[in-house]
Amino acid sequence: MRLAMPFVWDERCRAHEPRSEVWVGVSTPAVETAARIDAIRSALVEANATEIPAAPHDDGHLSAVHDREFLSYLQTAWDEWVVAGLPEDPGQDRVVPYVFAHAALTSGRRPAVPTAVWARPGYFAYDTMTLVGPGTWEAARAAVDAALTAVDLVVAGAPCAYACCRPPGHHACRACFGGSCYLNTAAVAAVALLEQVAGPVAILDIDAHHGNGTQELFFDRPDVLVGSVHVDPGAGWFPHFLGFADETGIGDGVGANRNVVLPPGTRDEEWLHAVGELAEWARLNGARALVVSLGVDAGASDPESPLQVEERGFHRAGALLGQLQLPTVLVQEGGYDLATIGRLVREVLLGVEEELA
Ligand code: SP5
Ligand code: ZN
């Protein structure tokens, strides 16, 4: 087995250590850990893939996707938490919100940015599962560099490239974060690719959860096609509030968003049918480059999703995406079963490059 596709690595992606996630008020062990990318990297090295170090890229790439105030908050959130003494009193060693700027609170008006350090997280975070610690900004920023380096490789002529990075990004919005995501890495990559091709870029998201951040970032844009296949948010799965089939875009972006929603328990054939639908949709809409939001939490043994896709299914999903014959950048999203994550990612990549000439 040999994987020809290069993968991009940045050691700084390991620096984020959320330790826990607060779910229904209970602090549970974090599942989005550095061990995830370590396992993927091992599987790729085993396949003799070439590792490329991430190159630094300008912050301008971030502000093309995210709000300036949001970026500045994320960058300084941990430092201001420490300066305010919150790790000692009340003894919380990660930035975590306690009060939220719910839209209805201010009847749609813009809420004030809190001056209190302990209230500020609730202006920018939309859940309690996405904690900020000393290495969070460094890692999220490095993940963006990794994805942009993968874009560079493809622009330089590689048929495809994979960014082996974390934390994931597809739940991160223009001005808020959640779902274990901080910066929307795939969105940044898509905007960078857009400057290189004469036509729309497609982001196809096969993570088990709806890519709500990516959807919202491009909801009114016809130049970035966003398709996601995921477990039905209405059946009790994150992100709960959106990700339904009737969300097809707004304004100039009508028709440029596509959600394929699957029931819990969905297995290979139905999942692959949905992946094929997304690929065909991107083709019909004239996509000129492809970004894959590559989560593998649809895997049967994953603890965070009820989808039941086998290793073979991931290979075939890669093939369906490779058949588009587009310059392709794959960016790591979710996937939490350390025993299988490496093989599942590797199978997708092998499937993609088998089809891409
Ligand atoms: C990128 C990605 O896959 N994000 C997934 C975020 C969804 N997490 C939902 C977690 C719901 C509660 N999990 C219970 C186990 C606690 N460790
Ligand atoms: Zn996921």
Side-chain angles (χ1 to χ4, degrees):
M1 172 181 37
R2 169 157 169 81
L3 182 67
M5 182 182 325
F7 74 94
V8 183
W9 177 263
D10 192 319
E11 196 66 27
R12 294 173 301 161
C13 287
R14 304 187 75 266
H16 168 56
E17 294 177 16
R19 291 193 188 164
S20 60
E21 44 190 56
V22 179
W23 188 61
V24 297
V26 178
S27 188
T28 58
V31 294
E32 202 292 285
T33 60
R36 300 173 56 247
I37 52 171
D38 292 347
I40 298 168
R41 185 195 202 184
S42 295
L44 302 185
V45 167
E46 198 176 275
N48 299 298
T50 303
E51 178 177 312
I52 308 283
H57 287 74
D58 199 85
D59 282 344
H61 291 281
L62 299 179
S63 29
V65 162
H66 291 291
D67 184 81
R68 202 164 288 278
E69 196 176 33
F70 168 77
L71 290 170
S72 133
Y73 174 71
L74 270 186
Q75 192 163 4
T76 54
W78 170 249
D79 290 340
E80 70 178 34
W81 193 261
V82 170
V83 168
L86 292 156
E88 291 79 41
D89 180 12
Q92 174 53 266
D93 72 350
R94 289 293 182 269
V95 178
V96 57
Y98 92 99
V99 59
F100 292 95
H102 193 289
L105 185 67
T106 46
S107 316
R109 299 189 307 280
R110 194 179 157 82
V113 182
T115 46
V117 169
W118 47 93
R120 284 161 64 77
Y123 186 91
F124 298 102
Y126 63 81
D127 68 36
T128 59
M129 307 182 302
T130 311
L131 309 195
V132 175
T136 302
W137 172 260
E138 187 185 12
R141 185 64 184 80
V144 168
D145 278 337
L148 288 169
T149 304
V151 169
D152 293 343
L153 290 168
V154 165
V155 168
C160 47
Y162 165 66
C164 186
C165 56
R166 71 175 279 274
H170 71 151
H171 298 306
C173 306
R174 176 168 296 280
C176 62
F177 68 100
S180 306
C181 300
Y182 305 86
L183 298 174
N184 198 315
T185 319
V188 173
V191 170
L193 268 175
L194 199 55
E195 289 162 18
Q196 304 291 331
V197 294
V201 171
I203 303 177
L204 298 185
D205 187 331
I206 65 168
D207 185 282
H209 305 99
H210 174 237
N212 61 295
T214 313
Q215 164 172 306
E216 293 306 306
L217 277 166
F218 300 114
F219 209 53
D220 61 355
R221 286 176 63 159
D223 54 347
V224 179
L225 308 162
V226 177
S228 181
V229 51
H230 47 268
V231 64
D232 186 359
W237 296 89
F238 191 87
H240 303 286
F241 301 108
L242 71 175
F244 300 98
D246 63 354
E247 296 156 23
T248 55
I250 197 166
D252 291 344
V254 168
N257 194 82
R258 178 84 183 261
N259 288 323
V260 183
V261 175
L262 299 173
T266 296
R267 305 170 77 86
D268 287 31
E269 293 310 321
E270 289 73 25
W271 184 73
L272 287 163
H273 186 264
V275 174
E277 255 182 77
L278 290 181
E280 179 62 8
W281 173 77
R283 193 184 66 75
L284 288 172
N285 281 278
R288 302 296 285 266
L290 174 64
V291 174
V292 179
S293 263
L294 176 52
V296 293
D297 40 10
S301 59
D302 198 281
E304 294 293 325
S305 137
L307 298 179
Q308 298 289 319
V309 179
E310 305 294 336
E311 191 173 313
R312 289 184 52 247
F314 283 93
H315 191 102
R316 291 169 62 196
L320 289 168
L321 298 168
Q323 280 161 14
L324 285 171
Q325 302 296 336
L326 294 171
T328 301
V329 171
L330 303 104
V331 178
Q332 188 61 42
E333 302 283 3
Y336 306 96
D337 176 30
L338 295 176
T340 57
I341 187 172
R343 287 206 307 277
L344 299 186
V345 169
R346 188 170 70 196
E347 287 307 316
V348 173
L349 304 184
L350 287 166
V352 167
E353 74 179 20
E354 247 170 53
E355 296 294 332
L356 259 183

